[in-house]
């Protein structure tokens, strides 16, 4: 029997709830899914005065009046699981908005603790709060915190320990409207059958306004004016989208340029180790065919994926997380919301598309934030149109060889601009396919949703890098390496097993040759995309292996030499263009497909997520090829 007290951590999104959770638990935490749900949950432990406590991080929600899986989970956990204490995290800079949830929880349990976070930001804006009065009005202890600095965390732990060790008591609340103990406030906050959801929401908003007006002192009336001035530019009708494209170009340029040197160094180390393994295998008397299969097949493909995939992800994911921490990503969703509405899709899809730039599997998982099942499916089925980090090396190499053909900073910037243009094309295709799905297979009207524009905050660089490396980079890299290992085995077998005097790989490429020519490519390129299903990073090495008939993947870093090999095998700028377009629109990788199946629970949606982009790629490449032939 578990004797550890259980504490729930609740709060709106963007109030620093995760920072409070991390400050209390440190590294003693784990993440999983709620039973029967695809909503992620985090649990951890912390110790105070010799007693260990379990802290459960509830999904961020604005209300307990359940309209989404997140709200349903938070409500059911507080009502049914009977936690020993509930910590409600609020933002000190906008307390009025967060008190809505606090009042609802106060009406459901007498074990609430109000954690007023981000007090350091409130001080900078000249905002002060009367905490003793706030505690009396809300009917629970109110603890000031600045979790990123560690301020108030010990007092929060002390209040939680006191709450867990005390007997349940009816909270005493000062009556906001006049005299009396105000117990009717808490009774009214519970969503009972006598109030409709709309009436309850209006009541809570008025109560929150009244409490905030009495407890929050803000000498500067325009404390949020600086954020509003920035928003007029970043979310402006004429400036929002161009700035978003410019920022995307800058992130891509930093990712591509910064990844070149560490990728080359890592590749050199891993392939040197490959030579050592071959020598050791020969010395140990291992049969040549077996060592080649395991080292030149399995190890070589995994080494290639790691060396090509790790450096860009190690740069892109921290940059992405910095933008998230800064408060920019919700504004990107705001800029694209009206376009998604015209496509009968959800504006939150913009956020999942941004995640897809790092990894489509992460983007698919991020679709959990979309409440409507119909709109969530649209976002899942179209996420692969955003090129992930695994496709960046192929796109960057073909752009550099066939469309830039210069060197230096100017070339890398031009390459980043062309890559940004390709991503914009992927966004346009996403809009088109989303609209077609919403008019045919997934008919429906777009749902409304609450999109909060959080205040701009100084990113916590150290924590951002740690979180992006642990939670995203290593997680995605592990899945990709696990998928690359069997792919390496299959590729080696196909390249080294002969039938009728030719390898199985040659038979396959010959079979695909007519279709490849019709699409402006050749059979080898199509076969490279098919065998690159486990990991997009190995598409070009597979094509080189077929062109050079080596039997193992070929590693060439010099773009000039690479261009010469392509030209010798009939490549033109038209071939490169069609290959780029197919790389943008072809089926998702195996890791993403597994994730789609886990998220939807249906094989048919996984199959459709493969067929839709493959069909788009066929149409786009064939059209581009025949237009260039006419020109």
């Amino acid at each position: 029997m578990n004797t550890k007290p259980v504490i729930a951590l609740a709060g709106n999104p963007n109030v620093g709830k995760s920072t409070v959770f991390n400050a209390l638990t440190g590294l003693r935490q784990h993440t999983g899914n709620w039973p029967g749900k695809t909503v992620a949950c985090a649990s951890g432990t912390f110790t105070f005065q010799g007693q260990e406590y379990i802290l459960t991080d509830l999904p961020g929600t604005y209300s307990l009046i359940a309209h989404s899986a997140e709200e349903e989970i938070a409500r059911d956990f507080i009502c049914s699981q009977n936690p020993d204490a509930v910590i409600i995290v609020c933002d000190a800079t906008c307390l009025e908005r967060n008190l809505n949830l606090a009042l609802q929880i106060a009406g459901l349990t007498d074990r609430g603790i109000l954690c007023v976070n981000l007090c350091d930001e409130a001080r900078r804006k000249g905002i002060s709060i009367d905490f003793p009065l706030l505690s009396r009005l809300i009917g629970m202890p109110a603890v000031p915190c600045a979790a990123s600095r560690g301020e108030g965390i010990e007092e929060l732990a002390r209040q939680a320990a006191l709450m867990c060790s005390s007997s349940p008591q009816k909270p005493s609340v000062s009556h906001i409207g006049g005299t009396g103990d105000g117990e009717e406030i808490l009774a009214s906050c519970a969503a009972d059958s006598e109030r409709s959801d709309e009436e309850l929401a209006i009541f809570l908003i008025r109560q929150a306004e009244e409490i905030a007006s009495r407890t929050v002192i803000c000498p500067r009336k325009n404390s949020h004016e600086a954020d509003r001035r920035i928003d007029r530019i970043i979310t402006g009708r004429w400036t929002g989208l161009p700035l978003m494209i410019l920022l995307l170009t800058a992130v891509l340029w930093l990712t591509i340029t910064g990844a070149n040197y560490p990728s080359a160094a890592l590749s050199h180390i891993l392939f040197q180790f490959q030579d050592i393994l071959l020598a050791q295998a020969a010395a140990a008397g291992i049969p040549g065919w077996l060592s080649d299969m395991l080292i030149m097949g399995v190890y070589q493909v995994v080494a290639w994926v790691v060396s090509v995939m790790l450096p860009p992800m190690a740069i892109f994911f921290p940059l992405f997380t910095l933008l998230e921490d800064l408060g920019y990503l919700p504004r990107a969703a705001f800029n694209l919301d009206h376009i998604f509405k015209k496509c009968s899709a959800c504006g939150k899809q913009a956020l999942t598309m941004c995640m897809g730039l790092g990894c489509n599997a992460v983007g698919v998982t991020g679709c959990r934030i979309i409440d409507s099942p119909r709109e969530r499916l649209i976002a899942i089925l179209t996420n692969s149109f955003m090129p992930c980090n695994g496709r960046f090396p192929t796109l960057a190499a073909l752009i550099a060889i066939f469309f830039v053909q210069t060197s230096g900073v100017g070339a890398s910037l031009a390459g980043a601009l062309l890559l940004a243009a390709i991503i914009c094309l992927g966004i346009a295709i996403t809009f088109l396919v989303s609209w077609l799905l919403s008019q045919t297979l997934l008919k429906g009207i777009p749902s409304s949703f609450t999109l909060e524009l959080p205040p701009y905050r100084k990113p916590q660089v150290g924590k951002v890098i740690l979180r992006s490396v642990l939670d995203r980079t290593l997680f995605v890299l592990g899945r990709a390496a696990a998928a690359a290992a069997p792919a390496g085995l299959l590729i080696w077998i196909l390249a080294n097993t002969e039938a009728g005097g030719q390898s199985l790989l040659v038979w396959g490429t010959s079979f695909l040759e007519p279709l490849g020519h019709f699409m402006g490519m050749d059979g080898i390129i199509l076969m490279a995309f098919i065998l690159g299903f486990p990991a997009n990073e190995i598409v070009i090495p597979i094509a080189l292996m077929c062109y050079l008939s080596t039997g193992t993947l070929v590693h060439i870093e010099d773009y000039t030499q690479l261009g010469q090999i392509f030209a010798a095998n009939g490549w033109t700028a038209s071939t490169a263009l069609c290959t780029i377009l197919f790389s943008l629109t072809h089926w998702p990788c195996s890791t993403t497909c597994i994730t789609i199946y886990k998220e939807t629970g249906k094989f048919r949606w996984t199959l459709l997520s493969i067929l839709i982009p493959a069909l788009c790629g066929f149409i786009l490449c064939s059209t581009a090829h025949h237009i260039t032939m006419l020109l």
Side-chain angles (χ1 to χ4, degrees):
M1 181 177 178
N2 184 18
T3 58
K4 297 175 185 177
V6 176
I7 301 170
L9 188 66
N12 293 174
N14 303 309
V15 296
K17 187 162 63 71
S18 296
T19 308
V20 173
F21 178 78
N22 292 331
L24 282 170
T25 62
L27 296 176
R28 299 181 300 277
Q29 52 187 255
H30 67 274
T31 303
N33 279 356
W34 294 93
K37 302 286 183 180
T38 57
V39 179
C41 70
S43 293
T45 60
F46 70 93
T47 303
F48 184 77
Q49 294 181 348
Q51 173 67 51
E52 192 173 28
Y53 299 87
I54 298 174
L55 186 65
T56 300
D57 189 11
L58 301 180
T61 179
Y62 292 98
S63 172
L64 296 183
I65 304 171
H67 295 294
S68 68
E70 288 84 355
E71 292 165 353
E72 181 183 337
I73 286 168
R75 180 202 63 197
D76 291 348
F77 190 90
I78 293 171
C79 293
S80 304
Q81 300 297 320
N82 297 318
D84 297 280
V86 181
I87 298 175
I88 308 119
V89 184
C90 294
D91 184 349
T93 64
C94 45
L95 186 62
E96 177 185 317
R97 183 180 66 226
N98 300 157
L99 285 177
N100 186 347
L101 179 65
L103 285 168
Q104 291 182 54
I105 294 176
L108 294 175
T109 179
D110 53 8
R111 293 188 165 274
I113 302 167
L114 192 68
C115 170
V116 184
N117 193 29
L118 303 172
C119 285
D120 51 339
E121 290 188 15
R123 288 193 296 269
R124 285 197 297 268
K125 294 182 177 182
I127 299 172
S128 61
I129 297 172
D130 187 341
F131 284 97
L133 178 58
L134 175 62
S135 181
R136 291 199 304 274
L137 292 176
I138 201 71
M140 63 181 71
V143 181
C145 281
S148 61
R149 299 168 177 263
E151 298 176 13
I153 294 299
E154 186 173 354
E155 175 62 18
L156 183 63
R158 189 181 72 83
Q159 290 290 344
L162 285 173
M163 189 66 70
C164 290
S165 62
S166 64
S167 300
Q169 295 180 356
K170 216 171 190 178
S172 174
V173 186
S174 299
H175 187 26
I176 297 172
T179 60
D181 63 5
E183 292 177 3
E184 66 272 20
I185 295 173
L186 295 184
S188 298
C189 289
D192 55 31
S193 58
E194 296 180 4
R195 281 187 191 275
S196 66
D197 287 353
E198 185 177 354
E199 289 172 339
L200 179 60
I202 294 171
F203 174 81
L204 292 172
I205 290 171
R206 288 174 179 170
Q207 295 293 341
E209 289 174 351
E210 183 65 24
I211 293 174
S213 68
R214 292 182 59 179
T215 58
V216 179
I217 304 166
C218 186
R220 298 204 304 262
K221 297 297 182 184
N222 297 323
S223 59
H224 298 286
E225 185 56 32
D227 286 358
R228 302 290 81 79
R229 283 199 297 268
I230 298 173
D231 279 342
R232 290 188 194 105
I233 299 173
I234 289 181
T235 62
R237 176 178 296 182
W238 305 110
T239 56
L241 288 177
L243 280 174
M244 189 171 68
I245 295 172
L246 186 63
L247 187 61
L248 173 64
T249 303
V251 169
L252 293 174
W253 179 73
L254 288 171
T255 300
I256 295 169
T257 306
N260 285 336
Y261 298 107
S263 183
L266 186 59
S267 174
H268 179 71
I269 294 170
L270 292 175
F271 283 101
Q272 268 196 336
F273 187 64
Q274 173 184 291
D275 296 335
I276 295 173
L277 287 175
L278 285 171
Q280 292 293 328
I286 296 175
W289 65 269
L290 182 59
S291 64
D292 280 354
M293 181 187 295
L294 295 178
I295 299 171
M296 302 304 291
V298 176
Y299 175 83
Q300 189 180 65
V301 171
V302 173
W304 181 274
V305 169
V306 171
S307 63
V308 174
M309 190 176 186
L310 180 57
M313 283 201 307
I315 296 172
F316 179 84
F317 276 135
L319 289 174
F320 179 85
T321 312
L322 282 173
L323 292 176
E324 188 178 12
D325 232 32
L326 184 64
Y328 177 76
L329 292 187
R331 289 161 171 88
F334 175 83
N335 289 333
L336 296 174
D337 178 49
H338 66 287
I339 304 178
F340 277 108
K341 187 175 181 181
K342 290 180 179 179
C343 299
S344 296
C346 179
K348 288 182 182 178
Q349 189 173 336
L351 298 177
T352 67
M353 289 165 61
C354 292
M355 297 176 191
L357 283 172
C359 174
N360 292 131
V362 174
V364 169
T365 305
C367 294
R368 297 171 180 176
I369 65 175
I370 301 175
D371 299 329
S372 165
R374 181 189 71 85
E375 293 169 345
R376 190 184 310 125
L377 271 174
I378 290 175
I380 288 173
L381 294 176
T382 58
N383 193 266
S384 63
F385 291 119
M386 298 304 295
C388 64
N389 263 308
R391 285 182 265 179
F392 284 175
T394 300
L395 296 172
L398 296 180
I399 289 171
I401 293 169
F402 290 94
F403 300 104
V404 177
Q405 298 177 336
T406 57
S407 60
V409 176
S412 62
L413 183 59
L417 283 169
L418 285 174
L419 185 54
I422 291 168
I423 293 173
C424 289
L425 175 61
I427 294 172
I429 295 172
T430 301
F431 289 143
L432 176 61
V433 176
S434 296
W435 179 81
L436 289 172
L437 287 172
S438 65
Q439 300 300 313
T440 54
L441 191 63
L442 297 168
K443 285 186 178 181
I445 59 175
S447 62
S448 60
F449 71 99
T450 302
L451 179 64
E452 180 181 1
L453 298 184
Y456 292 100
R457 297 189 179 111
K458 182 180 178 182
Q460 304 171 51
V461 179
K463 290 183 179 179
V464 162
I465 293 174
L466 182 64
R467 193 168 79 242
S468 60
V469 169
L470 293 179
D471 293 350
R472 290 175 176 165
T473 304
L474 295 182
F475 170 75
V476 173
L477 186 65
R479 280 194 171 184
L489 180 62
L490 175 63
I491 291 168
W492 188 91
I493 292 173
L494 291 176
N496 293 276
T497 303
E498 291 191 355
Q502 291 183 324
S503 69
L504 296 179
L505 195 59
V506 173
W507 281 104
T509 56
S510 300
F511 176 77
L512 294 171
E513 190 73 17
L515 179 61
H517 275 299
F518 186 80
M519 295 172 63
M521 298 180 284
D522 59 31
I524 288 177
I525 302 172
L526 278 185
M527 179 58 75
F529 277 112
I530 292 171
L531 294 179
F533 175 65
N536 288 297
E537 291 82 359
I538 57 176
V539 169
I540 285 184
I542 292 172
L544 291 175
M545 177 184 71
C546 295
Y547 286 135
L548 300 177
S549 303
T550 58
T552 59
L553 296 189
V554 178
H555 178 60
I556 297 177
E557 295 179 3
D558 185 7
Y559 283 170
T560 302
Q561 185 182 357
L562 201 58
Q564 290 172 352
I565 294 172
F566 286 150
N569 286 275
W571 278 56
T572 63
S574 174
T575 312
L577 174 63
C578 292
T579 306
I580 287 171
L581 292 176
F582 196 67
S583 181
L584 174 68
T585 54
H586 77 290
W587 46 82
C589 69
S590 60
T591 303
T592 305
C593 290
I594 293 170
T595 306
I596 290 172
Y597 180 76
K598 287 182 177 179
E599 293 296 309
T600 62
K602 301 289 185 182
F603 177 75
R604 67 172 180 269
W605 297 120
T606 308
L607 182 61
L608 202 59
S609 71
I610 295 173
L611 294 177
I612 289 175
L615 179 61
C616 289
F618 173 78
I619 294 172
L620 198 61
C621 292
S622 303
T623 304
H625 172 59
H626 289 89
I627 288 175
T628 54
M629 286 183 65
L630 289 173
L631 295 176

